[in-house]
Amino acid sequence: MSASTSTPNTDLRLLTFSHVLRYLRDLNLEETLEAFELEAPSLFDDYRNHYYGSLPEKPLHAVIEEHLQYEAKDKGTHVLEDKKTDLILDAKPSGYFPKSCTSTFDSIHHANVLFVSGHLLPADTFSSDTLSTAPMRVLASSSTDRTVRISSFPDGRVLTILSYSSSPILNVAFHPLIPTLAGSVAMDGTLSVVDVSTGDVVQQWKEHLKYAVRCGFSPDGQWLVSASYDKTVRIYKCDPSSTQPAAEETVPDVVTGDPDLDALETKAPPPPHPTYTFAHTKTFRGAVEAITFLRPTDTHSYPTLVVATRDDHYLHYIGLTDIPPAPAPEETAAELHDSDPFPHLLYNLNSGDDIWVSFTAMDLSPHPSGTHILVHTDSKVGRLIIVRARAAGPVKSLYGVSVDGFGTYRCTWSPNGDYVYAIGDGVSTGDASTGGEVGVWEVRSGKLVARLQGHEGVVKAVGVVPSGEGEQAKGDVVVTCSFDRTIKVWEWVDGK
Protein backbone atom coordinates (compact mmCIF):
# COMPACT_ATOMS: atom_id res chain seq x y z
CA MET A 1 0.00 0.00 0.00
CA SER A 2 1.32 3.48 -0.86
CA ALA A 3 2.05 5.71 2.10
CA SER A 4 -0.04 8.42 0.46
CA THR A 5 -3.13 6.23 0.10
CA SER A 6 -5.78 6.76 2.76
CA THR A 7 -7.74 3.71 3.98
CA PRO A 8 -9.97 3.23 7.05
CA ASN A 9 -6.89 1.91 8.92
CA THR A 10 -4.62 4.81 7.98
CA ASP A 11 -3.39 7.05 10.78
CA LEU A 12 -4.19 10.43 9.22
CA ARG A 13 -1.97 12.19 11.74
CA LEU A 14 1.09 10.24 10.60
CA LEU A 15 0.01 10.48 6.95
CA THR A 16 -0.05 14.27 7.23
CA PHE A 17 3.28 14.23 9.04
CA SER A 18 4.85 12.10 6.30
CA HIS A 19 3.82 14.63 3.65
CA VAL A 20 5.24 17.53 5.66
CA LEU A 21 8.44 15.55 6.19
CA ARG A 22 8.83 14.90 2.48
CA TYR A 23 8.09 18.55 1.68
CA LEU A 24 10.88 19.74 4.00
CA ARG A 25 13.32 17.16 2.64
CA ASP A 26 12.51 18.04 -0.98
CA LEU A 27 13.47 21.63 -0.16
CA ASN A 28 16.66 20.51 1.66
CA LEU A 29 15.59 22.37 4.82
CA GLU A 30 17.88 20.38 7.11
CA GLU A 31 17.98 22.92 9.93
CA THR A 32 14.18 23.11 9.93
CA LEU A 33 14.00 19.32 10.11
CA GLU A 34 16.40 19.25 13.07
CA ALA A 35 14.36 21.88 14.90
CA PHE A 36 11.16 20.00 14.07
CA GLU A 37 12.52 16.79 15.59
CA LEU A 38 13.71 18.60 18.72
CA GLU A 39 10.21 19.99 19.29
CA ALA A 40 8.27 16.85 18.35
CA PRO A 41 10.43 13.79 19.12
CA SER A 42 7.45 11.57 19.92
CA LEU A 43 5.93 12.26 16.51
CA PHE A 44 9.18 11.22 14.81
CA ASP A 45 9.31 8.08 16.98
CA ASP A 46 5.73 7.14 16.10
CA TYR A 47 6.45 7.67 12.43
CA ARG A 48 9.56 5.47 12.49
CA ASN A 49 7.88 2.73 14.55
CA HIS A 50 4.46 2.57 12.94
CA TYR A 51 4.68 4.10 9.49
CA TYR A 52 7.36 1.93 7.91
CA GLY A 53 9.76 4.87 7.69
CA SER A 54 8.83 5.47 4.04
CA LEU A 55 7.97 8.79 2.49
CA PRO A 56 4.85 9.23 0.33
CA GLU A 57 5.25 8.76 -3.41
CA LYS A 58 3.49 12.04 -4.17
CA PRO A 59 4.79 15.36 -2.84
CA LEU A 60 2.50 17.49 -0.70
CA HIS A 61 1.63 20.02 -3.37
CA ALA A 62 0.62 17.18 -5.74
CA VAL A 63 -1.96 16.03 -3.17
CA ILE A 64 -3.23 19.60 -2.79
CA GLU A 65 -3.35 20.02 -6.57
CA GLU A 66 -5.43 16.86 -6.98
CA HIS A 67 -7.78 18.10 -4.28
CA LEU A 68 -8.23 21.42 -6.09
CA GLN A 69 -8.87 19.61 -9.36
CA TYR A 70 -11.45 17.39 -7.66
CA GLU A 71 -13.23 20.44 -6.24
CA ALA A 72 -13.26 22.20 -9.60
CA LYS A 73 -14.15 19.25 -11.81
CA ASP A 74 -17.86 20.04 -11.95
CA LYS A 75 -17.53 23.82 -12.16
CA GLY A 76 -16.33 24.10 -15.75
CA THR A 77 -18.64 24.72 -18.68
CA HIS A 78 -16.87 22.21 -20.92
CA VAL A 79 -16.45 19.31 -18.49
CA LEU A 80 -17.72 16.54 -20.79
CA GLU A 81 -15.80 17.89 -23.75
CA ASP A 82 -12.63 18.14 -21.65
CA LYS A 83 -13.02 14.57 -20.39
CA LYS A 84 -13.42 13.37 -23.96
CA THR A 85 -10.26 15.24 -24.95
CA ASP A 86 -8.35 13.67 -22.05
CA LEU A 87 -9.24 10.13 -23.13
CA ILE A 88 -6.27 10.23 -25.48
CA LEU A 89 -4.02 10.22 -22.40
CA ASP A 90 -5.53 6.88 -21.34
CA ALA A 91 -4.44 5.02 -24.46
CA LYS A 92 -2.95 1.62 -23.68
CA PRO A 93 0.86 1.83 -23.79
CA SER A 94 2.86 -0.48 -26.02
CA GLY A 95 4.85 -1.85 -23.09
CA TYR A 96 8.10 -1.20 -24.97
CA PHE A 97 10.19 1.79 -23.99
CA PRO A 98 13.90 2.63 -24.18
CA LYS A 99 15.79 1.46 -21.11
CA SER A 100 19.27 0.47 -22.32
CA CYS A 101 22.08 2.45 -23.97
CA THR A 102 22.83 0.71 -27.26
CA SER A 103 25.34 3.17 -28.77
CA THR A 104 27.66 5.91 -27.57
CA PHE A 105 29.15 8.31 -30.13
CA ASP A 106 32.22 10.05 -28.73
CA SER A 107 33.77 11.29 -31.96
CA ILE A 108 30.97 13.22 -33.65
CA HIS A 109 32.09 16.24 -31.63
CA HIS A 110 35.21 16.70 -29.54
CA ALA A 111 33.66 19.37 -27.32
CA ASN A 112 30.58 19.68 -25.11
CA VAL A 113 27.47 18.78 -27.09
CA LEU A 114 24.63 21.30 -26.77
CA PHE A 115 21.88 19.86 -28.94
CA VAL A 116 20.85 16.71 -30.77
CA SER A 117 17.74 15.58 -32.63
CA GLY A 118 16.74 12.84 -35.05
CA HIS A 119 15.64 13.72 -38.56
CA LEU A 120 14.84 12.23 -41.99
CA LEU A 121 16.64 13.53 -45.08
CA PRO A 122 16.18 12.57 -48.75
CA ALA A 123 18.43 9.67 -49.71
CA ASP A 124 20.34 11.78 -52.25
CA THR A 125 20.98 14.75 -49.95
CA PHE A 126 24.76 14.26 -49.92
CA SER A 127 25.23 11.92 -52.88
CA SER A 128 23.40 11.66 -56.19
CA ASP A 129 24.86 8.18 -56.73
CA THR A 130 22.69 6.43 -54.19
CA LEU A 131 20.29 3.82 -55.53
CA SER A 132 17.98 4.05 -52.52
CA THR A 133 14.92 6.26 -52.57
CA ALA A 134 14.02 5.74 -48.91
CA PRO A 135 14.64 8.71 -46.61
CA MET A 136 17.76 8.29 -44.51
CA ARG A 137 17.82 8.67 -40.76
CA VAL A 138 20.32 11.20 -39.43
CA LEU A 139 21.28 12.97 -36.24
CA ALA A 140 21.63 16.76 -36.22
CA SER A 141 23.85 18.00 -33.41
CA SER A 142 25.56 21.18 -32.27
CA SER A 143 28.43 21.82 -29.91
CA THR A 144 30.55 24.43 -28.22
CA ASP A 145 32.86 23.89 -31.21
CA ARG A 146 30.42 26.24 -33.05
CA THR A 147 29.46 23.67 -35.67
CA VAL A 148 26.33 21.78 -36.63
CA ARG A 149 27.04 18.22 -37.72
CA ILE A 150 24.78 15.85 -39.63
CA SER A 151 25.61 12.21 -38.89
CA SER A 152 24.18 9.03 -40.32
CA PHE A 153 22.13 6.78 -38.10
CA PRO A 154 22.63 4.24 -36.64
CA ASP A 155 26.40 4.23 -37.26
CA GLY A 156 27.14 7.85 -36.24
CA ARG A 157 29.30 8.60 -39.29
CA VAL A 158 29.64 12.35 -39.83
CA LEU A 159 28.19 13.26 -43.23
CA THR A 160 28.74 17.00 -43.19
CA ILE A 161 30.08 19.71 -40.90
CA LEU A 162 28.35 23.10 -41.07
CA SER A 163 30.61 25.92 -39.88
CA TYR A 164 28.56 29.05 -40.48
CA SER A 165 28.30 30.42 -36.95
CA SER A 166 30.78 32.49 -34.93
CA SER A 167 29.04 31.42 -31.71
CA PRO A 168 27.86 28.08 -30.26
CA ILE A 169 24.46 27.04 -31.61
CA LEU A 170 21.84 26.23 -28.98
CA ASN A 171 18.91 24.96 -31.02
CA VAL A 172 18.26 23.56 -34.51
CA ALA A 173 14.79 23.17 -36.05
CA PHE A 174 13.98 21.73 -39.48
CA HIS A 175 11.42 23.09 -41.93
CA PRO A 176 8.28 20.89 -41.90
CA LEU A 177 8.01 20.69 -45.71
CA ILE A 178 11.60 21.12 -46.92
CA PRO A 179 13.68 18.52 -45.06
CA THR A 180 17.07 19.99 -46.01
CA LEU A 181 16.23 23.47 -44.69
CA ALA A 182 16.98 24.21 -41.03
CA GLY A 183 16.78 27.17 -38.69
CA SER A 184 19.23 27.65 -35.83
CA VAL A 185 19.89 30.12 -33.04
CA ALA A 186 23.16 30.91 -31.29
CA MET A 187 24.57 32.38 -28.10
CA ASP A 188 25.36 35.67 -29.84
CA GLY A 189 21.66 36.20 -30.65
CA THR A 190 21.89 35.16 -34.31
CA LEU A 191 19.06 33.40 -36.14
CA SER A 192 20.12 31.55 -39.29
CA VAL A 193 18.37 29.60 -42.04
CA VAL A 194 20.68 27.05 -43.62
CA ASP A 195 20.54 24.49 -46.42
CA VAL A 196 22.17 21.48 -44.76
CA SER A 197 22.76 19.75 -48.10
CA THR A 198 25.13 22.51 -49.28
CA GLY A 199 26.01 24.38 -46.10
CA ASP A 200 24.75 27.61 -47.65
CA VAL A 201 23.32 30.24 -45.32
CA VAL A 202 20.03 31.22 -46.95
CA GLN A 203 19.20 34.03 -44.51
CA GLN A 204 20.61 35.37 -41.26
CA TRP A 205 19.60 37.97 -38.67
CA LYS A 206 21.35 39.26 -35.56
CA GLU A 207 18.64 41.20 -33.78
CA HIS A 208 18.47 39.62 -30.31
CA LEU A 209 20.43 41.35 -27.55
CA LYS A 210 21.13 38.20 -25.50
CA TYR A 211 21.30 34.45 -26.06
CA ALA A 212 18.83 33.26 -28.69
CA VAL A 213 17.75 29.92 -27.21
CA ARG A 214 14.90 28.57 -29.36
CA CYS A 215 13.69 28.71 -32.93
CA GLY A 216 11.13 26.92 -35.03
CA PHE A 217 8.95 26.90 -38.12
CA SER A 218 5.16 26.81 -37.91
CA PRO A 219 3.60 23.49 -39.04
CA ASP A 220 2.71 24.98 -42.43
CA GLY A 221 6.18 26.50 -42.89
CA GLN A 222 4.73 30.00 -43.31
CA TRP A 223 6.24 31.43 -40.11
CA LEU A 224 9.69 31.37 -38.53
CA VAL A 225 10.15 32.32 -34.87
CA SER A 226 13.19 32.93 -32.67
CA ALA A 227 13.17 33.32 -28.87
CA SER A 228 15.74 34.90 -26.60
CA TYR A 229 16.79 35.70 -23.07
CA ASP A 230 16.31 39.36 -24.06
CA LYS A 231 12.62 38.68 -23.22
CA THR A 232 11.43 38.73 -26.83
CA VAL A 233 10.27 36.46 -29.60
CA ARG A 234 10.73 37.66 -33.16
CA ILE A 235 8.26 36.50 -35.79
CA TYR A 236 9.09 36.26 -39.50
CA LYS A 237 6.65 35.61 -42.34
CA CYS A 238 7.35 33.66 -45.51
CA ASP A 239 7.38 35.83 -48.62
CA PRO A 240 4.88 34.14 -51.01
CA SER A 241 6.80 35.30 -54.08
CA SER A 242 9.92 33.46 -52.91
CA THR A 243 8.30 30.06 -53.25
CA GLN A 244 7.09 30.43 -56.84
CA PRO A 245 8.67 27.64 -58.94
CA ALA A 246 11.09 28.65 -61.67
CA ALA A 247 10.29 27.86 -65.30
CA GLU A 248 11.05 24.38 -66.55
CA GLU A 249 13.97 23.95 -68.91
CA THR A 250 14.71 21.37 -71.59
CA VAL A 251 18.13 19.77 -71.21
CA PRO A 252 19.89 16.78 -72.83
CA ASP A 253 19.33 13.63 -70.83
CA VAL A 254 22.44 12.00 -72.36
CA VAL A 255 25.00 14.27 -74.02
CA THR A 256 26.87 12.48 -76.85
CA GLY A 257 27.27 15.33 -79.30
CA ASP A 258 25.04 13.56 -81.79
CA PRO A 259 21.65 15.34 -81.93
CA ASP A 260 20.03 12.18 -83.22
CA LEU A 261 21.16 10.24 -80.16
CA ASP A 262 20.77 12.83 -77.48
CA ALA A 263 17.41 12.48 -75.77
CA LEU A 264 15.84 15.66 -74.54
CA GLU A 265 14.18 15.72 -71.14
CA THR A 266 12.15 18.49 -69.55
CA LYS A 267 13.37 19.01 -66.00
CA ALA A 268 12.06 21.31 -63.33
CA PRO A 269 14.77 23.11 -61.38
CA PRO A 270 14.89 22.45 -57.64
CA PRO A 271 12.29 24.43 -55.73
CA PRO A 272 13.53 27.81 -54.49
CA HIS A 273 14.23 28.31 -50.83
CA PRO A 274 11.51 30.31 -49.10
CA THR A 275 12.65 33.63 -47.73
CA TYR A 276 11.27 35.22 -44.59
CA THR A 277 10.69 38.85 -43.71
CA PHE A 278 10.39 40.31 -40.23
CA ALA A 279 6.75 40.69 -39.17
CA HIS A 280 6.45 41.29 -35.42
CA THR A 281 8.10 41.27 -32.00
CA LYS A 282 6.49 40.14 -28.76
CA THR A 283 8.04 41.28 -25.48
CA PHE A 284 7.55 39.49 -22.15
CA ARG A 285 8.37 40.28 -18.55
CA GLY A 286 10.85 37.41 -18.23
CA ALA A 287 13.44 35.62 -20.34
CA VAL A 288 11.88 33.30 -22.90
CA GLU A 289 12.69 29.67 -22.13
CA ALA A 290 10.59 27.68 -24.60
CA ILE A 291 8.37 27.86 -27.65
CA THR A 292 6.28 25.35 -29.56
CA PHE A 293 3.56 25.39 -32.20
CA LEU A 294 -0.01 24.13 -32.53
CA ARG A 295 -1.61 23.28 -35.86
CA PRO A 296 -4.79 25.05 -37.02
CA THR A 297 -8.07 23.58 -35.77
CA ASP A 298 -11.77 23.93 -36.56
CA THR A 299 -11.91 26.98 -34.29
CA HIS A 300 -8.47 28.39 -35.13
CA SER A 301 -7.81 28.77 -38.83
CA TYR A 302 -4.18 29.75 -38.25
CA PRO A 303 -1.23 28.11 -36.46
CA THR A 304 -0.54 29.14 -32.87
CA LEU A 305 2.78 29.90 -31.21
CA VAL A 306 3.00 28.90 -27.53
CA VAL A 307 5.58 30.67 -25.37
CA ALA A 308 6.89 29.97 -21.85
CA THR A 309 8.89 32.59 -19.95
CA ARG A 310 10.57 33.20 -16.63
CA ASP A 311 8.70 34.99 -13.81
CA ASP A 312 5.30 34.03 -15.18
CA HIS A 313 2.56 31.53 -14.31
CA TYR A 314 0.98 31.75 -17.77
CA LEU A 315 1.52 30.08 -21.10
CA HIS A 316 1.25 32.65 -23.88
CA TYR A 317 -0.72 31.64 -26.99
CA ILE A 318 0.01 33.87 -29.98
CA GLY A 319 -1.98 33.51 -33.17
CA LEU A 320 0.26 33.49 -36.23
CA THR A 321 -1.92 35.66 -38.39
CA ASP A 322 -1.51 39.27 -39.47
CA ILE A 323 -5.28 39.64 -39.82
CA PRO A 324 -7.00 40.26 -36.45
CA PRO A 325 -9.42 37.32 -35.93
CA ALA A 326 -12.51 37.19 -33.77
CA PRO A 327 -11.90 35.30 -30.47
CA ALA A 328 -13.04 31.68 -30.46
CA PRO A 329 -15.83 30.89 -27.95
CA GLU A 330 -13.54 28.99 -25.53
CA GLU A 331 -11.13 31.92 -25.40
CA THR A 332 -13.57 34.01 -23.37
CA ALA A 333 -12.19 32.39 -20.21
CA ALA A 334 -8.65 33.48 -21.02
CA GLU A 335 -7.24 36.94 -20.59
CA LEU A 336 -6.97 38.83 -23.87
CA HIS A 337 -3.55 40.49 -23.66
CA ASP A 338 -3.80 42.70 -26.74
CA SER A 339 -5.73 43.08 -29.96
CA ASP A 340 -2.98 43.45 -32.55
CA PRO A 341 -2.90 41.26 -35.65
CA PHE A 342 -1.08 38.59 -33.64
CA PRO A 343 -3.73 37.84 -30.97
CA HIS A 344 -2.18 37.07 -27.60
CA LEU A 345 -4.01 34.96 -25.01
CA LEU A 346 -2.87 33.87 -21.56
CA TYR A 347 -3.65 30.55 -19.86
CA ASN A 348 -2.79 29.91 -16.21
CA LEU A 349 -0.52 26.95 -15.52
CA ASN A 350 -1.63 26.70 -11.89
CA SER A 351 -4.59 24.87 -10.44
CA GLY A 352 -7.56 26.80 -9.11
CA ASP A 353 -6.56 30.12 -10.74
CA ASP A 354 -3.64 30.49 -8.32
CA ILE A 355 -1.40 33.41 -9.37
CA TRP A 356 1.68 32.39 -7.41
CA VAL A 357 4.79 31.83 -9.58
CA SER A 358 6.18 28.69 -7.95
CA PHE A 359 8.00 27.31 -11.01
CA THR A 360 9.14 28.18 -14.51
CA ALA A 361 8.00 26.27 -17.57
CA MET A 362 11.37 25.32 -19.08
CA ASP A 363 10.26 23.29 -22.09
CA LEU A 364 7.11 22.62 -24.10
CA SER A 365 6.23 19.63 -26.25
CA PRO A 366 2.87 19.21 -28.00
CA HIS A 367 1.13 15.83 -27.95
CA PRO A 368 1.27 14.19 -31.42
CA SER A 369 -2.47 14.87 -31.75
CA GLY A 370 -2.08 18.53 -30.73
CA THR A 371 -4.67 18.17 -27.94
CA HIS A 372 -2.27 18.57 -25.01
CA ILE A 373 1.10 20.11 -24.16
CA LEU A 374 3.78 18.54 -21.97
CA VAL A 375 5.48 21.13 -19.75
CA HIS A 376 8.83 20.47 -18.05
CA THR A 377 9.22 22.71 -14.99
CA ASP A 378 12.15 23.68 -12.80
CA SER A 379 10.22 22.71 -9.67
CA LYS A 380 12.65 21.18 -7.18
CA VAL A 381 10.32 18.22 -6.70
CA GLY A 382 10.97 17.20 -10.31
CA ARG A 383 7.54 17.96 -11.75
CA LEU A 384 6.23 17.77 -15.30
CA ILE A 385 2.66 18.74 -16.08
CA ILE A 386 0.33 17.97 -18.96
CA VAL A 387 -2.15 20.71 -19.90
CA ARG A 388 -4.89 20.82 -22.51
CA ALA A 389 -3.97 22.97 -25.47
CA ARG A 390 -5.58 26.41 -25.17
CA ALA A 391 -6.84 25.74 -21.64
CA ALA A 392 -5.81 26.62 -18.10
CA GLY A 393 -4.55 24.37 -15.34
CA PRO A 394 -2.86 20.96 -15.35
CA VAL A 395 -4.62 17.75 -16.33
CA LYS A 396 -1.91 15.44 -15.03
CA SER A 397 1.37 15.78 -13.12
CA LEU A 398 4.39 13.51 -13.42
CA TYR A 399 7.12 13.19 -10.78
CA GLY A 400 10.34 11.29 -10.37
CA VAL A 401 13.48 13.03 -11.66
CA SER A 402 15.57 15.30 -9.48
CA VAL A 403 15.88 18.97 -10.41
CA ASP A 404 18.27 21.48 -8.86
CA GLY A 405 17.18 24.52 -10.87
CA PHE A 406 20.45 24.83 -12.81
CA GLY A 407 20.08 22.13 -15.46
CA THR A 408 18.79 22.13 -19.01
CA TYR A 409 15.28 20.71 -18.84
CA ARG A 410 13.96 19.28 -22.08
CA CYS A 411 11.08 16.91 -22.74
CA THR A 412 9.34 15.16 -25.62
CA TRP A 413 6.50 12.75 -26.33
CA SER A 414 6.70 9.33 -27.86
CA PRO A 415 5.32 9.55 -31.44
CA ASN A 416 2.39 7.41 -30.24
CA GLY A 417 1.78 9.58 -27.19
CA ASP A 418 2.02 6.66 -24.75
CA TYR A 419 5.35 7.64 -23.15
CA VAL A 420 7.17 10.88 -22.38
CA TYR A 421 10.88 11.52 -21.92
CA ALA A 422 12.39 14.31 -19.82
CA ILE A 423 15.82 15.37 -18.59
CA GLY A 424 16.66 15.41 -14.90
CA ASP A 425 19.81 16.31 -12.98
CA GLY A 426 20.78 12.78 -12.04
CA VAL A 427 20.12 10.40 -9.20
CA SER A 428 18.06 11.60 -6.27
CA THR A 429 21.13 12.72 -4.33
CA GLY A 430 21.60 15.51 -6.89
CA ASP A 431 25.34 14.74 -6.95
CA ALA A 432 26.65 16.34 -10.14
CA SER A 433 29.38 13.68 -10.40
CA THR A 434 26.73 11.10 -11.29
CA GLY A 435 25.82 12.99 -14.47
CA GLY A 436 22.34 13.73 -15.70
CA GLU A 437 19.57 11.34 -16.56
CA VAL A 438 16.43 11.05 -18.65
CA GLY A 439 13.21 9.85 -17.06
CA VAL A 440 10.71 7.70 -18.95
CA TRP A 441 7.05 7.96 -17.90
CA GLU A 442 4.08 5.88 -18.93
CA VAL A 443 1.42 8.50 -19.64
CA ARG A 444 -1.61 6.39 -18.80
CA SER A 445 -0.50 5.53 -15.26
CA GLY A 446 1.77 8.52 -14.69
CA LYS A 447 4.48 6.15 -13.43
CA LEU A 448 8.20 6.64 -13.92
CA VAL A 449 9.12 3.34 -15.61
CA ALA A 450 12.80 3.89 -16.42
CA ARG A 451 15.78 6.12 -15.74
CA LEU A 452 18.26 6.45 -18.59
CA GLN A 453 21.55 6.93 -16.76
CA GLY A 454 25.04 6.78 -18.20
CA HIS A 455 26.11 10.28 -19.16
CA GLU A 456 28.95 11.66 -17.04
CA GLY A 457 27.91 15.28 -17.49
CA VAL A 458 24.81 17.45 -17.70
CA VAL A 459 22.34 16.18 -20.29
CA LYS A 460 21.47 18.98 -22.72
CA ALA A 461 18.89 17.50 -25.10
CA VAL A 462 16.61 14.52 -25.63
CA GLY A 463 14.78 13.51 -28.79
CA VAL A 464 13.22 10.60 -30.62
CA VAL A 465 14.84 9.32 -33.82
CA PRO A 466 12.09 8.92 -36.46
CA SER A 467 11.51 5.45 -37.85
CA GLY A 468 13.03 4.67 -41.21
CA GLU A 469 11.25 2.88 -44.03
CA GLY A 470 10.62 -0.73 -43.03
CA GLU A 471 11.93 -0.25 -39.48
CA GLN A 472 10.42 -2.73 -37.00
CA ALA A 473 12.08 -1.67 -33.75
CA LYS A 474 10.28 -2.33 -30.48
CA GLY A 475 9.45 1.01 -28.93
CA ASP A 476 11.10 4.36 -29.57
CA VAL A 477 14.74 5.07 -30.26
CA VAL A 478 15.76 7.96 -28.00
CA VAL A 479 18.88 10.07 -28.45
CA THR A 480 20.57 12.30 -25.84
CA CYS A 481 23.64 14.52 -25.67
CA SER A 482 25.74 15.81 -22.82
CA PHE A 483 28.59 17.95 -21.59
CA ASP A 484 30.57 14.69 -21.44
CA ARG A 485 31.05 15.24 -25.21
CA THR A 486 29.01 12.21 -26.18
CA ILE A 487 25.75 11.40 -27.92
CA LYS A 488 23.97 8.28 -26.65
CA VAL A 489 21.25 6.11 -28.17
CA TRP A 490 18.69 4.34 -25.95
CA GLU A 491 16.39 1.48 -26.96
CA TRP A 492 14.30 -1.38 -25.65
CA VAL A 493 16.46 -4.49 -25.40
CA ASP A 494 14.76 -7.84 -24.80
CA GLY A 495 15.84 -9.52 -21.60
CA LYS A 496 17.26 -6.38 -19.96
Side-chain angles (χ1 to χ4, degrees):
M1 181 183 70
S2 167
S4 60
T5 301
S6 180
T7 70
N9 296 321
T10 298
D11 186 330
L12 293 180
R13 178 180 63 104
L14 291 180
L15 177 61
T16 302
F17 172 77
S18 69
H19 280 289
V20 173
L21 191 62
R22 168 163 181 178
Y23 178 74
L24 296 176
R25 288 184 178 175
D26 284 343
L27 295 178
N28 296 317
L29 299 177
E30 298 299 330
E31 292 183 3
T32 304
L33 280 166
E34 291 177 6
F36 192 5
E37 186 163 10
L38 285 174
E39 286 198 33
S42 61
L43 191 57
F44 276 80
D45 289 341
D46 286 348
Y47 176 74
R48 294 189 186 101
N49 295 332
H50 304 293
Y51 215 67
Y52 316 111
S54 60
L55 292 175
E57 294 176 1
K58 293 181 180 178
L60 178 60
H61 76 264
V63 176
I64 295 173
E65 177 185 81
E66 289 178 356
H67 173 69
L68 290 173
Q69 290 175 347
Y70 177 80
E71 283 190 329
K73 70 177 183 178
D74 292 324
K75 295 179 181 179
T77 57
H78 303 290
V79 173
L80 293 178
E81 182 179 342
D82 290 342
K83 287 182 177 179
K84 183 178 179 181
T85 300
D86 294 341
L87 286 176
I88 198 167
L89 303 179
D90 292 327
K92 184 179 179 179
S94 67
Y96 299 106
F97 48 86
K99 57 180 181 177
S100 299
C101 180
T102 55
S103 298
T104 297
F105 303 126
D106 57 8
S107 59
I108 293 179
H109 295 276
H110 298 285
N112 292 339
V113 188
L114 298 169
F115 175 84
V116 67
S117 68
H119 186 56
L120 293 176
L121 285 176
D124 60 354
T125 297
F126 301 111
S127 173
S128 59
D129 297 332
T130 181
L131 298 178
S132 173
T133 58
M136 62 176 174
R137 296 198 291 175
V138 299
L139 301 178
S141 58
S142 68
S143 163
T144 53
D145 62 13
R146 296 176 292 179
T147 68
V148 171
R149 303 188 182 208
I150 308 297
S151 308
S152 61
F153 187 85
D155 61 8
R157 179 171 51 92
V158 176
L159 300 173
T160 188
I161 299 175
L162 308 175
S163 303
Y164 58 88
S165 177
S166 60
S167 179
I169 290 167
L170 298 176
N171 186 231
V172 178
F174 284 89
H175 193 283
L177 305 177
I178 307 173
T180 58
L181 197 65
S184 71
V185 284
M187 285 185 176
D188 64 1
T190 300
L191 167 65
S192 304
V193 178
V194 181
D195 184 335
V196 300
S197 66
T198 62
D200 294 339
V201 176
V202 179
Q203 287 185 276
Q204 195 169 67
W205 302 266
K206 192 174 180 180
E207 303 295 337
H208 288 294
L209 303 178
K210 293 185 178 181
Y211 284 10
V213 293
R214 301 296 184 102
C215 66
F217 296 93
S218 61
D220 58 4
Q222 294 302 302
W223 303 89
L224 171 65
V225 178
S226 61
S228 168
Y229 280 176
D230 66 7
K231 304 181 181 181
T232 69
V233 296
R234 292 178 61 84
I235 302 171
Y236 300 81
K237 185 177 182 180
C238 181
D239 179 357
S241 64
S242 69
T243 58
Q244 296 299 316
E248 294 182 340
E249 56 181 339
T250 302
V251 296
D253 185 31
V254 180
V255 181
T256 66
D258 186 338
D260 295 328
L261 297 178
D262 287 347
L264 295 181
E265 181 182 4
T266 299
K267 292 186 176 180
H273 291 306
T275 58
Y276 293 84
T277 57
F278 173 71
H280 195 65
T281 297
K282 287 284 187 180
T283 302
F284 305 87
R285 70 181 187 183
V288 182
E289 285 288 356
I291 63 172
T292 194
F293 298 88
L294 297 175
R295 296 186 294 270
T297 66
D298 292 340
T299 55
H300 297 79
S301 59
Y302 46 84
T304 299
L305 170 69
V306 187
V307 181
T309 75
R310 292 269 177 184
D311 306 319
D312 205 344
H313 58 288
Y314 290 110
L315 285 185
H316 299 254
Y317 288 71
I318 299 167
L320 294 178
T321 174
D322 44 16
I323 301 174
E330 67 270 22
E331 292 177 349
T332 57
E335 179 182 347
L336 185 61
H337 189 70
D338 58 29
S339 57
D340 62 28
F342 295 87
H344 186 165
L345 297 168
L346 311 179
Y347 288 94
N348 196 340
L349 282 168
N350 294 325
S351 299
D353 294 325
D354 185 3
I355 62 172
W356 179 253
V357 181
S358 59
F359 60 82
T360 291
M362 301 295 291
D363 196 24
L364 306 172
S365 179
H367 188 277
S369 69
T371 57
H372 295 79
I373 297 176
L374 176 65
V375 182
H376 198 337
T377 77
D378 65 351
S379 169
K380 290 188 176 181
V381 297
R383 181 188 183 204
L384 291 86
I385 59 177
I386 298 175
V387 300
R388 298 184 194 98
R390 302 183 178 91
V395 174
K396 184 180 290 244
S397 294
L398 308 174
Y399 299 91
V401 296
S402 62
V403 173
D404 64 11
F406 298 100
T408 299
Y409 307 116
R410 300 291 182 260
C411 62
T412 189
W413 293 85
S414 160
N416 293 329
D418 51 353
Y419 294 95
V420 298
Y421 312 105
I423 295 173
D425 290 317
V427 297
S428 58
T429 61
D431 185 353
S433 65
T434 64
E437 67 176 356
V438 171
V440 181
W441 285 263
E442 183 185 274
V443 175
R444 185 181 191 180
S445 66
K447 291 181 178 179
L448 180 70
V449 295
R451 293 177 183 270
L452 309 184
Q453 298 175 336
H455 279 296
E456 297 178 1
V458 175
V459 180
K460 299 297 289 184
V462 58
V464 177
V465 181
S467 297
E469 189 172 294
E471 290 289 332
Q472 298 294 327
K474 288 183 177 179
D476 301 324
V477 178
V478 167
V479 62
T480 58
C481 67
S482 168
F483 268 15
D484 63 9
R485 303 185 177 188
T486 70
I487 293 171
K488 289 183 178 290
V489 179
W490 309 84
E491 299 178 77
W492 171 273
V493 177
D494 287 329
K496 290 189 178 181

